[in-house]
Every structure is written in structure tokens, then in C-alpha cells.
Amino acid sequence: ARHGRHRMLSAPACRHRNVKWLDARKNFAANRADTIVKHNKTRHIKMLKESFVFMFISSFMALFPVANPVGTGFIINGFLSGLDRSERRSIVRRIAVNYLLIGIGSLAIGHFVLSLFGLSLPIVQLGGGLLICKTALQWLGDSDASTGSAPDKPVDPISVRNLESRVFYPITFPISIGPGSISVIFTLMASVNIKDGLGKIIINYAVIAFVIFLMCLILYVILSQGQKITKKVGVTGTMIINKMVAFFTFCVGIQIIAEGVEKIFHLSLS
């Protein structure tokens, strides 16, 4: 009887112990699940950050040498020499707006345009490289334009209207952002893997757009401070810089042509 009473008294204690053990097990499983979720979330965020940084660096390094906003700024400053502050500000603003429209527009509808005309990226590179070389040769052979030979001489209204008609072509396209830059943007678009998911695709496109905006911002700063830069560098220094920029632009055009020919004919030119 005493043993039976002991068993009856110990049964509730055993059940309480089992309940506590089950609760501890459930809490352990829940904590482990939360830890796994937090770890996966942290890992995903880390991968997104690494992808963002890699895409930004690769996009900037690919676009900056071709767009060359610093050298291009010296070229365009020659066209804007003689303008007063308000006229320069107005034209520089229009150049920046056109720059963003071309760059972001190429990023947004690039695939559609290529598909519409049945063009491949190597063909765009070949045609863009030829146009870049043609423009660079004109810069190299022109002794007066784009050198800023008379920065203090005021521009008459007819010349201002003539300059305004040239804001889009050739100042914005192809001098500021040309076929070379557009072909690089198309190449960066092609490097985005569709299988990575919608979120990663949006981030990669946003990074490319941000790099295009940075190129435009650098050009805007150079053009806005163009008069001060020209005065510090001098007419001769500006002409030397312009000719060097023209030569390197010609070399960039040759490089883009070579890449297009290499892909079209499946050659190895490197």
C-alpha cells in the first residue's frame, strides 16, 4: 500500500517533468529555427551587398574609360567658351538632361531596340567604334574648335543659337555619350543573369543607372567649372589636353572595333 501510494504521488510529478521536457524541446527547436532564419537572412543580405559592390566596381571601371567625362569636359568647354554664366548654365543643364536620357534610355529599352532592328552587340560595337574614330580624327585635325582659343570673347546671339542647335548633336551625342558608352551599357545589361531573380536584376540595373548618373555628374561639374579650369590650365594647356583626349578617344574606338570584329569572326586578337 505504501508503494502504491508512492506511485500515485509520483505520477503527477512525472507528467509535469515530461511536460517541461517537451516544452524545453519545443523551445530549443523554435530557437534553432529562428537562428537558421536569421543566419540565412544575414547571408542573403551579405550576398546582395557583395553583388552590389562587385556590380558597381565593374560597371564604373567598364564605363569610365569609354565615357571619359573628365577629358570630354575639356573638349566641350571649347564649344562653350565666350558664354556668360547664365547661358553656360542653361546649356550645361541641357547637356546633362540629354546625357541622362540617352544613358538611362539605352539601359531601359536597349534589349527592345536591339531586337527591333535585329542587331547584335558586336555589330553595335563595330559601328560605334567607327563613329568614335571618325569623331576623334575630327578633333585631332581641328585646330580652332574645342580649344577655347578666346575664352573671354563674348559670343554673339547668332552663335549662341547655332550652339543651342548643336547641344544634342554633336555635343551630347556622340561627344559626351557616344556609341562606345552605349555599347558598354548594352554589355553590362547582357552580363545581368536573368536566373538570379527579380530582386537581384533590379539591383543590378539600379547600379548601372547609378554609374551612368555618376558619369553625368562628373561631366556636369567639369562643365560648370569650365571657365575656372580653362583659366588655370591656360589656352595652350587646354589645347594639349584636348589633343591627348582626342588621341586616346581614337584608341578607345579602335579597341571597340577590335572587340566587335573579334566576336563577329570568332577571332582571338589579344
Side-chain angles (χ1 to χ4, degrees):
R2 193 165 59 185
H3 287 296
R5 190 185 307 165
H6 179 72
R7 286 196 189 117
M8 289 176 64
L9 290 173
S10 62
C14 289
R15 284 197 298 270
H16 181 68
R17 208 152 121 208
N18 290 336
V19 169
K20 285 179 68 177
W21 183 79
L22 289 174
D23 290 341
R25 190 172 180 181
K26 288 180 182 178
N27 291 333
F28 175 78
N31 292 334
R32 183 175 177 83
D34 291 340
T35 304
I36 293 173
V37 170
K38 289 179 180 178
H39 177 72
N40 291 335
K41 187 176 181 180
T42 305
R43 187 179 176 187
H44 182 66
I45 293 174
K46 185 178 179 181
M47 290 177 62
L48 286 177
K49 287 181 179 179
E50 291 177 353
S51 175
F52 175 86
V53 173
F54 176 77
M55 193 65 187
F56 174 78
I57 294 175
S58 60
S59 300
F60 189 89
M61 295 300 294
L63 190 57
F64 185 82
V66 180
N68 191 13
V70 178
T72 303
F74 278 96
I75 294 288
I76 299 176
N77 275 327
F79 290 95
L80 307 182
S81 61
L83 295 176
D84 59 37
R85 183 173 298 179
S86 61
E87 291 171 341
R88 172 181 281 269
R89 189 183 300 115
S90 174
I91 290 180
V92 169
R93 192 180 296 115
R94 287 176 58 187
I95 293 172
V97 171
N98 291 337
Y99 191 108
L100 289 176
L101 287 176
I102 295 174
I104 304 299
S106 300
L107 179 64
I109 62 173
H111 284 302
F112 173 75
V113 172
L114 292 179
S115 302
L116 181 64
F117 293 98
L119 298 174
S120 62
L121 185 61
I123 295 297
V124 175
Q125 289 177 316
L126 182 59
L130 289 172
L131 186 56
I132 289 174
C133 290
K134 176 179 176 294
T135 305
L137 285 175
Q138 289 177 346
W139 294 345
L140 286 170
D142 194 352
S143 59
D144 295 326
S146 307
T147 60
S149 56
D152 297 327
K153 183 179 179 181
V155 181
D156 58 85
I158 298 177
S159 299
V160 172
R161 286 197 296 270
N162 183 36
L163 181 62
E164 288 177 347
S165 66
R166 302 171 67 188
V167 167
F168 184 82
Y169 181 86
I171 294 178
T172 303
F173 182 87
I175 296 177
S176 299
I177 178 169
S181 301
I182 294 174
S183 65
V184 171
I185 294 172
F186 286 168
T187 304
L188 293 173
M189 289 167 49
S191 67
V192 177
N193 193 352
I194 300 178
K195 297 180 180 179
D196 290 337
L198 182 61
K200 198 169 181 181
I201 292 175
I202 293 175
I203 290 176
N204 289 334
Y205 270 73
V207 171
I208 299 172
F210 179 66
V211 171
I212 295 172
F213 176 78
L214 277 183
M215 298 296 113
C216 181
L217 181 62
I218 295 172
L219 179 64
Y220 181 84
V221 171
I222 295 294
L223 294 181
S224 298
Q225 304 297 322
Q227 291 175 327
K228 297 179 181 178
I229 295 173
T230 303
K231 287 180 180 179
K232 289 184 178 180
V233 176
V235 176
T236 304
T238 303
M239 184 176 64
I240 293 172
I241 292 173
N242 288 344
K243 297 304 179 183
M244 290 179 62
V245 170
F247 172 73
F248 286 117
T249 302
F250 179 79
C251 294
V252 169
I254 294 294
Q255 178 67 31
I256 294 173
I257 291 173
E259 291 176 359
V261 171
E262 184 177 6
K263 292 177 182 178
I264 292 172
F265 298 101
H266 304 286
L267 302 174
S268 180
L269 302 178
S270 57

